[in-house]
Amino acid sequence: MANKTKFQAIKGTRDLLPPETELWNRVEQTAREVFGTFGFGEIRLPIFEPTELFARAVGGETDIVSKEMYSFEDRQRQFPDLDDLGKLEEFLLAVEDAYKTGEIPQTPWNKGMIERVRLAFNSFRDTRDELNAMSEPSMEKFQEYAHYSFSASHWAHLTKLGDEISLRPEATASVCRAYIEHGMHALAQPVKLYYVGPMFRRERPQKGRYRQFYQIGAEVLEAITPNTDATKSLGKDAAVDAEVIEMVMVYFARLGLEGVVLDINSIGHSAPECRRGYVEKLKAALEKVKDKLGEDSKRRIETNPLRVLDSKLESEQAIIEKLPRIGDHLCADCAKHYAELKRQLELRGVAYRENWRLVRGLDYYMRTTFEITARGLGSQNAVCGGGRYDGLVELLGGAPTKGIGFAIGEDRVILSLQEAKKAVASGDPDQVGAGRRVASGKSGCDVYVAWMGKTAEATAIRAARDLRQAGFRVELPPVEQKFGKALGQADKLGARYALILGEDEVASGEWTLKTLADGTQGKVRGAELVAYLRGKK
Ligand code: ATP
Ligand code: MG
């Protein structure tokens, strides 16, 4: 019997189909245009990287790294099956060789494991030989034999036979890795890069939350030259931050995204006189109200107290409002930077809302953090998150470097645009602006070429070629159709015109052109068709 398994896209992933992909392309193309005007160039990055890169850059304690990454072992070669005790020696020889050639990770861990397998295996082999030589095998010898075989196979299982690799859950880590790898500190600074592409996180799928989703992001990286006066460059940093935020806002405005709200905050820097001091105060305050907090927040008092501020739990809101605020505990430099950021945003006409509860949990995040929300998305309404991360490049092995960047959730931008379009269709006056701009999506066909007869076929092929060269979207049926059927098909495709080519048209050179919207038709000279349609565009 035929196998009738129906394959389906894996949970949390989805196909994007035409005509929706037109909107995706427009959203991406607009990003390229807008970011280009701000001097950003595109970087294309690998989809997978060493797990360790994300563990370091995103943080081993975060949900993303600890629970949500798609990780796997990438083996360079096949090894004999360990379930078969008879293949233990073959396995050991292969692993010893692969360690030498670097086909398995040359780590202290692997070195230790392989030595243990070797020792246990040698003893295993010796006891086996002894057992074989005994006319009456002793129980002790047999136990010894079992013990060594167990040990050898135990250590063998613990040997890492490949590199730990993960599908990228975000791209900032990769951009920083690439900045270091290609020595971009030697280029004119700052280096401004943007990227577009899929990210992967094992989250619970719901509206606006997928396991494969798409981000459009950008980063500004700048090598810190020795002897720069950190306090003096605060103003410059704030201007860079403001321009990056302005760029996202200009982009969203160009897309016609509705209900866009920008939240900003400063989270200071990790020194004791700044954020670290604040976190201590926050912890103490949280300890006092511990009994009234939910389980997650209770746990976070120890692991990541800043994250408590993020809580959406209704019962915690009143408590959180009374907690100490980072804004009151910033050091002089961070306070100056934050004031300058706000002034810079005002200079650029960028409206913002201060949100002291906007935080990032990792040490190297500093000063500017921002988040942008949009309409039509329910509780998953964040369309962009960003911030300053001086120190990340250094953490990844590079020289001291400043960084600021953001990531836009493209899926959510698209959803919001689609919601606005729906609202227009249903007459919600609040949303008309966006919908108009979104609705400019074109139909799939300009001209349907209806033809009948051998001589008409050659003319139709030529007409289609000329029209396509002129940029029109043309549908040319592969076999002749009765004109009635052809017109029905043209209608279904939403074509604007049907070009009708029969024996008469070919003979006279006067082609029939039917406008499908109103059903009118007239004659156009074949040679003039392209010019005629261009005039109608
Ligand atoms: P959220 O709080 O919504 O989970 P996040 O803090 O995890 O967002 P970031 O890591 O800052 O998000 O990523 C930036 C943007 O990417 C988010 O604002 C959102 O628009 C989008 N995003 C993040 N995770 C997903 C996902 N699983 N599916 C779709 N979009 C996502
Ligand atoms: Mg998330």
Side-chain angles (χ1 to χ4, degrees):
M1 236 180 72
N3 185 349
K4 290 236 175 128
T5 312
K6 266 201 212 138
F7 290 106
Q8 285 188 320
I10 287 172
K11 195 174 160 190
T13 74
R14 59 210 178 115
D15 304 304
L16 304 171
L17 309 172
E20 195 189 278
T21 38
E22 252 181 54
L23 181 56
W24 282 77
N25 283 329
R26 187 170 74 81
V27 164
E28 289 168 16
Q29 185 51 33
T30 307
R32 294 176 194 288
E33 284 165 19
V34 173
F35 297 178
T37 64
F38 281 78
F40 283 71
E42 183 181 9
I43 182 167
R44 297 204 182 194
L45 299 156
I47 298 284
F48 50 82
E49 298 263 13
T51 302
E52 181 59 21
L53 175 69
F54 302 118
R56 268 226 237 147
V58 184
E61 305 301 310
T62 58
D63 282 357
I64 294 182
V65 170
S66 65
K67 299 189 222 153
E68 299 173 356
M69 277 209 297
Y70 286 94
S71 300
F72 55 96
E73 197 185 67
D74 189 23
R75 295 188 183 183
Q76 307 292 334
R77 62 153 116 158
Q78 290 250 316
F79 291 93
D81 184 5
L82 270 177
D83 293 337
D84 182 349
L85 209 57
K87 292 206 175 138
L88 199 54
E89 179 164 26
E90 208 185 311
F91 176 88
L92 178 58
L93 291 171
V95 164
E96 283 173 334
D97 180 58
Y99 183 81
K100 271 194 222 121
T101 60
E103 284 167 290
I104 64 174
Q106 289 169 328
T107 53
W109 172 273
N110 266 354
K111 186 163 185 283
M113 287 307 138
I114 296 167
E115 280 165 10
R116 286 181 172 86
V117 184
R118 170 52 75 189
L119 278 174
F121 176 78
N122 287 349
S123 306
F124 160 76
R125 192 180 45 198
D126 293 348
T127 42
R128 186 188 56 199
D129 292 348
E130 285 167 36
L131 269 177
N132 283 341
M134 286 176 169
S135 51
E136 209 162 307
S138 76
M139 198 55 185
E140 285 82 40
K141 221 6 108 191
F142 201 78
Q143 272 174 353
E144 220 179 295
Y145 166 83
H147 167 76
Y148 288 128
S149 75
F150 175 81
S151 298
S153 121
H154 176 67
W155 301 125
H157 274 289
L158 288 177
T159 309
K160 297 245 181 297
L161 299 178
D163 301 306
E164 281 298 325
I165 280 181
S166 295
L167 300 187
R168 61 183 190 191
E170 57 102 61
T172 303
S174 303
V175 174
C176 291
R177 194 238 340 110
Y179 178 88
I180 301 167
E181 186 170 336
H182 302 287
M184 289 192 227
H185 63 276
L187 304 176
Q189 303 292 300
V191 173
K192 303 197 248 183
L193 299 166
Y194 76 87
Y195 59 83
V196 178
M199 307 294 155
F200 305 85
R201 297 182 195 174
R202 193 184 288 102
E203 301 197 74
R204 192 169 68 75
Q206 50 195 295
K207 185 185 169 194
R209 196 177 289 289
Y210 312 97
R211 292 182 166 184
Q212 174 172 341
F213 62 101
Y214 295 79
Q215 284 187 339
I216 300 176
E219 319 285 348
V220 179
L221 295 164
E222 178 167 15
I224 300 173
T225 44
N227 313 323
T228 22
D229 182 334
T231 307
K232 272 199 191 134
S233 64
L234 289 170
K236 182 179 148 198
D237 294 352
V240 172
D241 297 359
E243 192 179 72
V244 164
I245 295 173
E246 180 192 4
M247 179 169 91
V248 186
M249 297 303 273
V250 166
Y251 170 53
F252 284 164
R254 183 79 63 87
L255 286 178
L257 202 64
E258 292 278 297
V260 175
V261 176
L262 164 68
D263 278 17
I264 63 165
N265 191 24
S266 173
I267 51 163
H269 77 301
S270 69
E273 72 277 14
C274 197
R275 184 166 68 231
R276 201 165 308 153
Y278 165 70
V279 170
E280 287 312 315
K281 291 204 180 74
L282 180 64
K283 257 189 183 171
L286 285 169
E287 284 295 343
K288 282 190 205 139
V289 293
K290 197 170 177 172
D291 297 341
K292 292 183 224 147
L293 296 174
E295 282 313 307
D296 281 341
S297 293
K298 261 188 205 150
R299 198 164 18 85
R300 285 179 180 144
I301 298 179
E302 278 314 311
T303 57
N304 199 345
L306 284 173
R307 282 281 313 277
V308 176
L309 306 180
D310 228 9
S311 160
K312 307 274 183 306
L313 213 63
E314 203 45 58
S315 61
E316 293 180 343
Q317 299 310 308
I319 305 168
I320 293 174
E321 279 305 312
K322 294 201 196 90
L323 292 170
R325 304 183 171 203
I326 181 117
D328 302 327
H329 297 85
L330 293 177
C331 69
D333 275 1
C334 287
K336 189 174 163 205
H337 171 276
Y338 189 43
E340 183 59 16
L341 171 71
K342 290 186 277 186
R343 194 184 75 86
Q344 280 284 343
L345 287 172
E346 281 149 26
L347 276 177
R348 291 155 203 271
V350 175
Y352 61 84
R353 202 167 66 178
E354 287 184 78
N355 178 356
W356 70 277
R357 290 174 56 177
L358 197 63
V359 292
R360 304 250 138 178
L362 300 171
D363 260 8
Y364 55 81
Y365 276 109
M366 62 186 295
R367 298 185 181 144
T368 308
T369 52
F370 63 100
E371 185 172 271
I372 301 171
T373 49
R375 195 178 289 162
L377 296 168
S379 55
Q380 256 63 250
N381 64 349
V383 288
C384 177
R388 175 163 280 277
Y389 51 83
D390 299 2
L392 176 55
V393 169
E394 205 174 347
L395 186 78
L396 297 177
T401 308
K402 291 179 183 182
I404 161 95
F406 61 81
I408 294 167
E410 190 179 358
D411 307 71
R412 295 186 192 172
V413 167
I414 301 269
L415 266 173
S416 177
L417 292 171
Q418 287 169 332
E419 287 297 323
K421 190 174 167 186
K422 265 191 238 156
V424 172
S426 66
D428 179 348
D430 217 23
Q431 302 259 349
V432 168
R436 281 250 172 72
R437 283 179 294 253
V438 180
S440 65
K442 309 160 220 153
S443 85
C445 178
D446 296 315
V447 183
Y448 191 94
V449 183
W451 60 274
M452 264 191 65
K454 267 280 158 261
T455 49
E457 182 176 26
T459 307
I461 287 172
R462 253 184 291 119
R465 186 194 59 199
D466 293 346
L467 285 166
R468 283 173 179 149
Q469 206 154 20
F472 292 99
R473 285 161 306 175
V474 176
E475 210 55 51
L476 176 71
V479 292
E480 64 180 357
Q481 289 169 327
K482 296 226 167 71
F483 288 127
K485 189 176 168 203
L487 289 174
Q489 188 70 10
D491 229 21
K492 249 194 229 159
L493 289 174
R496 291 175 66 200
Y497 300 99
L499 175 64
I500 299 169
L501 297 173
E503 309 275 312
D504 291 350
E505 280 84 2
V506 175
S508 67
E510 296 277 331
W511 297 354
T512 305
L513 188 70
K514 185 173 173 111
T515 307
L516 288 157
D518 57 13
T520 56
Q521 74 180 49
K523 296 279 184 188
V524 182
R525 282 211 61 80
E528 283 151 23
L529 180 65
V530 166
Y532 176 82
L533 287 175
R534 275 210 179 115
K536 293 267 176 189
K537 245 186 177 175

